[in-house]
Amino acid sequence: DTEVTQTPKHLVMGMTNKKSLKCEQHMGHRAMYWYKQKAKKPPELMFVYSYEKLSINESVPSRFSPECPNSSLLNLHLHALQPEDSALYLCASSHNNSPLHFGNGTRLTVT
Amino acid sequence: GESVGLHLPTLSVQEGDNSIINCAYSNSASDYFIWYKQESGKGPQFIIDIRSNMDKRQGQRVTVLLNKTVKHLSLQIAATQPGDSAVYFCAEGNSGGYQKVTFGTGTKLQVIP
């Protein structure tokens, strides 16, 4: 088990659906991250939040909308996704000068 | 763009032997390097890290070596066990409050019993 909890574990959605991915950590970390990982590829950074403020957006399409309601929670709102957006979405958190701690991800399939 | 890469996509080793996984990086501004292990169906798991002011760091059965001159990073696993079978990623980042961590392409380690 990891200390970063992601829900749901699996999600299947149509291209017209709206869904949200959730991430939670209670380690007191003040930086939280979203990564996207395609099969047999390394994780790719999407967003970084630091102290609940968006610090990095790696030119991610607007159909992905992150939200950090508080220091323990991170959401990723999904709308009008494409089949090529199917991937494993990983959440991570970190404290100052510490390595990232990852959750086990949400496996997303867009039909 | 600048990236982190690996020389070998797949490495097969006999159980009990030592494993060496290599990685090349190109961003000379990076000062923090991390090795992650990813098992099937799981997120990346931290193994060991090293900062640019060091050239070697040891953990339990693992050693990371950093050669800044040639921008090379390696992970050594002693007495490799079946449970070590996974994909290993090197990653580079920066010291600070939050980090822009970039992952290399990954090496699949297969341990032969």
Side-chain angles (χ1 to χ4, degrees):
Chain A
D1 289 344
T2 72
E3 295 170 302
V4 176
T5 303
Q6 291 188 244
T7 56
K9 288 184 168 52
H10 301 275
L11 178 63
V12 179
M13 62 184 291
M15 290 187 285
T16 59
N17 292 158
K18 287 185 180 180
K19 296 287 184 183
S20 297
L21 308 185
K22 298 186 181 299
C23 175
E24 188 169 1
Q25 59 89 14
H26 294 288
M27 295 178 282
H29 291 174
R30 300 312 297 268
M32 296 187 76
Y33 309 74
W34 280 115
Y35 278 80
K36 173 183 177 179
Q37 186 176 27
K38 301 284 277 186
K40 301 187 188 306
K41 296 291 187 182
E44 296 179 347
L45 182 64
M46 299 175 72
F47 302 104
V48 180
Y49 272 84
S50 177
Y51 290 86
E52 295 104 71
K53 293 197 183 325
L54 184 62
S55 299
I56 296 178
N57 176 341
E58 289 287 274
S59 302
V60 179
S62 60
R63 57 186 184 269
F64 295 90
S65 176
E67 178 196 18
C68 190
N70 60 56
S71 60
S72 299
L73 296 175
L74 185 66
N75 299 322
L76 186 62
H77 303 298
L78 314 173
H79 174 53
L81 294 195
Q82 304 297 311
E84 58 264 30
D85 295 322
S86 298
L88 180 68
Y89 287 85
L90 293 161
C91 174
S93 68
S94 73
H95 194 58
N96 287 351
N97 289 324
S98 76
L100 273 61
H101 293 251
F102 283 86
N104 285 328
T106 293
R107 177 74 60 189
L108 175 67
T109 303
V110 181
T111 61
Chain B
E2 296 184 308
S3 64
V4 178
L6 291 175
H7 300 304
L8 297 173
T10 304
L11 177 66
S12 296
V13 297
Q14 205 72 37
E15 181 179 356
D17 287 352
N18 296 335
S19 303
I20 299 176
I21 301 173
N22 295 304
C23 175
Y25 68 93
S26 58
N27 187 349
S28 55
S30 294
D31 62 0
Y32 180 51
F33 303 89
I34 317 103
W35 281 100
Y36 285 95
K37 171 186 180 183
Q38 188 173 25
E39 297 174 281
S40 180
K42 295 187 176 181
Q45 176 187 359
F46 169 78
I47 301 172
I48 191 168
D49 58 3
I50 188 168
R51 302 197 184 273
S52 58
N53 61 350
M54 302 174 69
D55 53 21
K56 181 179 180 178
R57 190 159 188 234
Q58 289 183 293
Q60 186 176 11
R61 282 201 308 117
V62 294
T63 300
V64 56
L65 299 178
L66 175 63
N67 186 329
K68 295 180 288 293
T69 302
V70 295
K71 296 189 179 71
H72 185 266
L73 193 68
S74 69
L75 176 70
Q76 300 177 2
I77 304 174
T80 312
Q81 302 169 359
D84 294 327
S85 294
V87 176
Y88 289 80
F89 292 100
C90 65
E92 61 177 326
N94 53 281
S95 300
Y98 65 85
Q99 302 164 41
K100 184 175 177 178
V101 175
T102 303
F103 282 75
T105 53
T107 293
K108 183 176 181 179
L109 177 65
Q110 295 177 323
V111 181
I112 304 165

